Amino acid sequence: QVQLMESGGGSVQSGGSLRLSCAVSGYSGNRCMAWFRQAPGKEREGLAHIDSDGTGRYANSVKGRFTISRDNAKNTLYLQMNSLLPEDTARYYCAETRGRCRGLLDYLYDYWGQGTQVTVAS
């Protein structure tokens, strides 16, 4: 079975940084990996995705501040978050789907982690 598990969340001050990790197990081959977040009262928002070859794409809300990367040998996905803002406060989720990345709509993704909380103080 495919399993994903996020880690690295926590509380930081505005302007600070965090690095999230997502450990993946259960299958091999080409797959798209992505990060989403959801704040209370808001719908899930796609942040970034990355193909098996390392090609990343970003939502405008995080472009220039967040960096998505992956270590295929370790089956781990990362999200480096810099210049954090209070509006970045949310639960962050990693997700996967087979093949190449096709966008940041949540229905495109088949497997999800349980999420990790990020809180940014003003």
Side-chain angles (χ1 to χ4, degrees):
Q1 59 180 344
V2 176
Q3 293 183 308
L4 297 82
M5 185 172 67
E6 303 92 339
S7 62
S11 298
V12 298
Q13 293 183 334
S14 182
S17 297
L18 284 173
R19 187 183 69 175
L20 307 182
S21 299
C22 173
V24 184
S25 64
Y27 71 93
S28 61
N30 292 335
R31 68 274 192 195
C32 171
M33 304 179 74
W35 287 99
F36 290 76
R37 68 185 180 190
Q38 189 166 27
K42 298 181 66 177
E43 66 183 12
R44 200 183 307 269
E45 176 189 16
L47 305 177
H49 60 60
I50 186 168
D51 280 301
S52 293
D53 67 359
T55 302
R57 297 287 185 270
Y58 300 87
N60 288 335
S61 61
V62 303
K63 191 177 300 181
R65 299 190 298 126
F66 292 8
T67 302
I68 190 170
S69 62
R70 64 194 293 169
D71 186 333
N72 291 335
K74 296 182 178 180
N75 292 325
T76 303
L77 173 72
Y78 302 97
L79 185 68
Q80 178 66 46
M81 306 186 295
N82 298 326
S83 302
L84 284 162
L85 302 167
E87 49 263 48
D88 295 317
T89 295
R91 192 165 184 86
Y92 284 68
Y93 299 87
C94 60
E96 281 198 336
T97 191
R98 296 180 298 278
R100 297 176 179 176
C101 294
R102 297 182 179 274
L104 286 168
L105 298 174
D106 56 9
Y107 71 80
L108 296 171
Y109 295 86
D110 299 314
Y111 306 102
W112 295 80
Q114 83 291 340
T116 186
Q117 181 66 35
V118 171
T119 301
V120 184
S122 62

